[in-house]
């Protein structure tokens, strides 16, 4: 066993003595040692219950004849970090999480690893570490939050963010906004819509590193504990059969994930995270691959923020395996892929039919003929930009309008709430990319304010930053190269006409070539806004959003 490096032989007597100081007995040390990487904390609703979930995992490990040993990682709640300096540290935390799990998995040569997380950057960080270490591993999510209720309607976190804009426009009173705030997030779990956390949890099933139900069983349900217990049992089997993450998360598995991503209309952040995860296995996911699969994958699920359904609805309809079952009828899913369940995708999904054809539409009656995501290219984004096209009003799929240019999210937000943005405008928020932010902040506050003020059908927003999975409207992010890397977005001036053609996968700055060359010759990027500490180091090492904002391999 791999753990013999730290526990077997006369020369490891001192090591065993240290384990015994913590209460372990010889019989426990003779069994497979399973590391439990848990991102539990008291700062994220998706993580507040993970300590209890870890106990279920450990119970399963012990039932199967293994010895669990738990450690923790950090975690940032994007919702709480949103709109202030803290959001500059969210994406960059992904690398710290991956690094910390790598450190623990190397310093302590576990035989297997269970990764427990639930939100945003924590999930991809864990999956990156699994591929990097490449020891038997399984991922367990905390599960989605239940939707709240307000004025006899299902609501979630995004309803609150958009409520700020509605209050500004006097569509909600201060008392109503407080009632919404009190009721939108009713308990533990990752926020209830198809936002980034739930998108990544759902894709963990498509990638094969999680058991069926991992993406959709609500965090408050006992079924979530049962799934955790089964995952604890299964990791011991994976150790005994030497099944590793790179055996499961192959290129074909990532292609399955991109198909499911588009069928769900998932978060644009998946376009950052899937390439970053794949890179740990030496797999390159080109952005054109997302367009290729978007073009032939129907959009089957209309989930919040773009649609009426929440994760509990998707779970009741059959979950991710039912979505894959439906997609497989068109040959869009590779059913031969191995999974952590030690069964193929095909064997799993044939038992999981769709139970509600309104939540998971049949192939011949999709919400949209194309998938939820689109990658745009053009002279404004030579290396690409991303938009959740399934969340864009049809009237905004093609748009041309004057640029309203802001050098930070705060400046853009102030202009929106001060009623300085008019119908037809294209809001440009730059120097918020991986390097320029640094940290590539999400723009949920500006997009929610635009939607709440009723302008999401009339105004576009483009940025070299990114958007929350809760964003809806003509919100185009990841403009690459970013302004801090002398990208063309840095050349845009107030009043320039920007042309957006989402069906044509194009985004353009309508100035003459002569003017473009003149501006480029005079252009000098602004310095990163943080010049010390971790995020400064991150800004010096991070690569473009078009490559998943991974860190440079050689420096």
């Amino acid at each position: 066993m791999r753990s013999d490096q730290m526990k077997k032989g006369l020369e490891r007597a001192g090591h065993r003595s240290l384990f015994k100081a913590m209460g372990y007995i010889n019989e426990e040390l003779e069994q497979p040692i399973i590391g439990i990487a848990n991102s539990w904390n008291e700062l994220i609703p998706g993580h507040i219950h993970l300590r209890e979930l870890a106990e279920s995992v450990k119970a399963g490990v012990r039932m199967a004849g293994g010895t669990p040993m738990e450690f923790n990682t950090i975690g940032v709640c994007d919702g709480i970090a949103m709109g202030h300096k803290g959001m500059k540290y969210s994406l960059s935390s992904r690398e710290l999480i991956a690094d910390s799990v790598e450190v623990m998995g190397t310093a302590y040569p576990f035989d297997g690893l269970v990764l427990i997380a639930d939100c945003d950057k924590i999930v991809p960080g864990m999956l990156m570490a699994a591929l990097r270490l490449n020891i038997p591993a399984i991922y367990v999510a905390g599960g989605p939050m239940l939707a709240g209720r307000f004025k006899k309607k299902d609501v979630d976190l995004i309803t609150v963010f958009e409520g700020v804009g509605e209050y500004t426009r006097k569509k909600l009173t201060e008392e109503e906004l407080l009632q919404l705030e009190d009721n939108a997030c009713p308990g533990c779990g990752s926020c209830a819509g198809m936002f980034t956390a739930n998108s990544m949890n759902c894709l963990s099933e498509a990638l094969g590193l999680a058991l069926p139900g991992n993406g959709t069983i609500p965090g408050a349900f006992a079924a979530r504990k049962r799934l955790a217990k089964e995952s604890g049992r299964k990791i011991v089997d994976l150790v005994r059969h030497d099944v590793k993450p790179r055996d499961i998360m192959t290129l074909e598995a990532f292609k399955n994930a991109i198909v499911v991503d588009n069928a769900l209309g998932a978060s644009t952040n998946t376009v950052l995270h899937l390439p970053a995860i794949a890179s740990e296995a030496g797999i390159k996911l080109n952005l054109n691959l997302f367009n290729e699969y978007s073009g032939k994958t129907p959009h089957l699920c209309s989930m919040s923020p773009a649609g009426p359904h929440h994760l509990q609805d998707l779970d009741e309809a059959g979950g991710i395996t039912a979505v894959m079952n439906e997609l497989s009828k068109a040959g869009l899913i590779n059913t031969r892929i191995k999974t952590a369940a030690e069964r193929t995708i095909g064997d799993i999904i044939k038992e999981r039919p769709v139970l509600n054809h309104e939540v998971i539409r049949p192939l011949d009656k999709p919400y949209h003929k194309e998938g939820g995501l689109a990658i745009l290219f053009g002279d404004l984004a030579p290396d690409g930009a991303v938009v959740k096209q399934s969340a864009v009003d049809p009237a905004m799929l093609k748009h041309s309008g004057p640029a309203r240019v802001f050098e930070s999210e705060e400046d853009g937000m102030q202009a929106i709430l001060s009623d300085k943005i008019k119908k037809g405008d294209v809001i440009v928020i730059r120097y918020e990319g991986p390097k320029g932010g640094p940290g590539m902040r999400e723009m949920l506050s500006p997009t929610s304010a635009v939607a709440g003020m009723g302008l999401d059908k009339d105004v576009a927003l483009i940025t070299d930053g990114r958007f929350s999975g809760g964003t809806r409207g003509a919100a185009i992010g990841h403009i690459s190269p970013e302004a801090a890397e002398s990208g063309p977005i840095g050349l845009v001036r107030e009043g320039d006409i920007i042309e957006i053609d989402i069906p044509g996968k194009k985004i353009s700055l309508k100035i003459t070539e002569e003017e473009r060359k003149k501006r480029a010759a005079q252009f000098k990027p602004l310095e990163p806004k943080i010049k010390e500490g971790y995020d400064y180091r991150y800004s010096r090492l991070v690569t473009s959003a078009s490559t998943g904002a991974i860190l440079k391999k050689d420096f």
Side-chain angles (χ1 to χ4, degrees), residues 93-319:
S93 74
R94 184 186 72 183
E95 316 309 315
L96 283 175
I97 291 160
D99 289 350
S100 67
V101 176
E102 176 197 359
V103 166
M104 293 298 286
T106 306
Y108 299 87
F110 302 119
D111 298 301
L113 195 61
V114 180
L115 308 151
I116 307 176
D118 209 24
C119 293
D120 297 290
K121 311 309 141 327
I122 304 100
V123 179
M126 293 279 198
L127 297 181
M128 289 166 69
L131 279 170
R132 192 181 299 174
L133 287 167
N134 201 35
I135 62 175
I138 195 167
Y139 171 61
V140 179
M145 188 184 292
L146 295 169
R149 295 287 290 175
F150 176 69
K151 292 187 175 181
K152 299 181 180 180
K153 293 181 179 180
D154 286 346
V155 294
D156 54 42
L157 176 67
I158 304 309
T159 320
V160 186
F161 273 96
E162 294 184 0
V164 175
E166 292 182 14
Y167 171 75
T168 302
R169 282 290 176 93
K170 296 184 169 51
K171 294 179 180 179
L172 283 180
T173 66
E174 186 173 353
E175 182 180 354
E176 287 174 324
L177 183 58
L178 178 59
Q179 289 174 359
L180 175 58
E181 174 187 325
D182 287 345
N183 289 284
C185 297
C188 69
S190 45
C191 299
M194 191 56 73
F195 315 142
T196 304
N198 289 324
S199 296
M200 291 307 304
N201 285 335
C202 289
L203 296 188
S204 70
E205 287 190 52
L207 286 168
L209 206 71
L211 297 185
N214 188 69
T216 58
I217 297 172
F221 285 9
R224 178 58 58 177
K225 294 180 183 178
R226 296 196 296 269
L227 180 72
K229 199 169 290 186
E230 289 293 343
S231 298
R233 286 163 54 102
K234 180 49 67 176
I235 186 59
V236 180
D237 289 339
L238 294 174
V239 168
R240 288 173 176 151
H241 301 149
D242 197 29
V243 179
K244 298 174 182 176
R246 294 189 191 183
D247 300 327
I248 295 169
M249 291 195 284
T250 61
L251 175 59
E252 293 304 312
F254 279 98
K255 289 178 180 178
N256 275 355
I258 293 172
V259 169
V260 173
D261 194 358
N262 276 286
L264 295 174
S267 167
T268 54
N269 281 315
T270 59
V271 180
L272 278 176
H273 298 320
L274 287 177
I277 297 165
S279 72
E280 297 292 345
I283 298 169
K284 185 174 182 179
L285 295 186
N286 191 287
L287 289 185
N288 285 309
L289 201 60
F290 287 85
N291 271 347
E292 177 187 341
Y293 283 99
S294 175
K296 57 187 178 184
T297 304
H299 177 218
L300 302 182
C301 302
S302 186
M303 309 292 293
S304 174
H309 301 129
H310 290 85
L311 267 291
Q312 66 208 65
D313 303 315
L314 182 57
D315 189 59
E316 291 172 8

Side-chain angles (χ1 to χ4, degrees), residues 462-478:
I462 71 169
T463 180
D464 51 10
R466 59 196 177 92
F467 295 109
S468 162
T471 290
R472 61 187 175 96
I476 300 165
H478 309 194

